[in-house]
Amino acid sequence: MSEHQSKPKVLFVLGGPGSGKGTVCEGLVKNFHFKHFSTGDLLREEVKKGSELGKQIDGFISKGEMVPGDVTVTLVKKAIFENAATNPLFLLDGYPRNQSNVDYWRQVMRDDVEVLGILYLNCAEETMKARILSRGQNSGRSDDNEEIFKNRIKVFFSETVPAIEAWKRDGGKVFDISSESTKEECFEEASKVIKQMELDRPDVSEIKQYVKAKVDPFIKPLIVFLMKNKPDNVYSSIQYWMSTEGEAIRKNLDKK
Ligand code: C5P
Ligand code: MG
């Protein structure tokens, strides 16, 4: 990451299977400058490649079990850093799904990415089940059926919920919203959470850094020039300085 590029920021989006993670993220990208990644999709893409790793991943997904955290964090890291230069704001849905995901995230990402918190979609088990069974009619996913749903929901309560509780205990932010009713209402609640984060507010330390690197190098030499020459027409004198000494400074900065 270059000195002036801002750190990528990530909002995790969690909830049980069928809670509406993907749907709410699709809505949010239309109104905020997020880039959305579904961890499940990243894993399924690897499966589609038919690689040895893909076959191993498929073994977990088709049973509704968790893929080992080291595998998942590698895919997540790649997705973030391949896109960080053009869009440093991410929604990561379906991550971190258990304590192993959290531990690998901390170990691999360290301070390189700022976590905004977890957006948690609260939904009744029956509602989630009905949604998954309805989605299963067309999704083509090996895990969208009643039998595997049972395991996915079990894993959700035994692994994901405790990991979110631990996240909270460690001082991490969790934004709890309901995804029980319509997607419009869920989107409305999620939007409120995002707005209060004031993500558009400029980061003062970034501005300071920018001024120090891009503005300061011109100020002192320009003042010296003006003091020495005491021009009658300051405006045209600055213009002249900008095209000579100032231009040389600019070229030098571009080289860095
Ligand atoms: O989030 P989604 O429902 O698409 O996840 C599907 C499956 O992908 C999960 O049941 C699990 O097998 C795998 N997965 C995982 N670790 C994650 C996210 C998804 O193992 N962090
Ligand atoms: Mg999804």
Side-chain angles (χ1 to χ4, degrees), residues 140-176:
R141 277 176 55 169
S142 60
D143 57 349
D144 280 349
N145 57 63
E146 188 154 7
E147 195 201 330
I148 305 302
F149 175 81
K150 272 189 210 147
N151 199 38
R152 289 167 73 192
I153 200 85
K154 196 174 107 205
V155 170
F156 170 68
F157 285 118
S158 64
E159 297 193 37
T160 310
V161 173
I164 297 171
E165 291 302 326
W167 178 267
K168 245 193 254 182
R169 278 198 305 277
D170 288 345
K173 285 186 190 142
V174 178
F175 307 97
D176 205 312

Side-chain angles (χ1 to χ4, degrees), residues 170-224:
D170 288 345
K173 285 186 190 142
V174 178
F175 307 97
D176 205 312
I177 65 169
S178 165
S179 63
E180 186 68 36
S181 60
T182 63
K183 56 181 173 190
E184 286 75 20
E185 270 177 64
C186 177
F187 173 63
E188 186 79 12
E189 277 200 62
S191 298
K192 270 189 211 152
V193 168
I194 312 279
K195 278 186 194 143
Q196 74 166 35
M197 289 179 186
E198 298 186 35
L199 295 168
D200 296 337
R201 199 181 53 192
D203 183 332
V204 175
S205 68
E206 270 171 38
I207 295 173
K208 273 191 191 158
Q209 236 184 29
Y210 179 85
V211 169
K212 190 166 165 241
K214 299 279 181 194
V215 181
D216 282 359
F218 293 90
I219 301 298
K220 210 171 154 193
L222 176 61
I223 291 174
V224 169

Side-chain angles (χ1 to χ4, degrees), residues 28-59:
L28 290 175
V29 291
K30 289 188 193 140
N31 285 272
F32 301 93
H33 286 124
F34 283 109
K35 173 106 189 146
H36 167 220
F37 285 109
S38 148
T39 320
D41 286 350
L42 294 176
L43 292 164
R44 282 185 287 273
E45 274 163 29
E46 202 56 41
V47 173
K48 266 195 218 142
K49 287 184 193 162
S51 62
E52 200 41 52
L53 180 66
K55 282 182 196 144
Q56 286 171 24
I57 293 173
D58 194 31

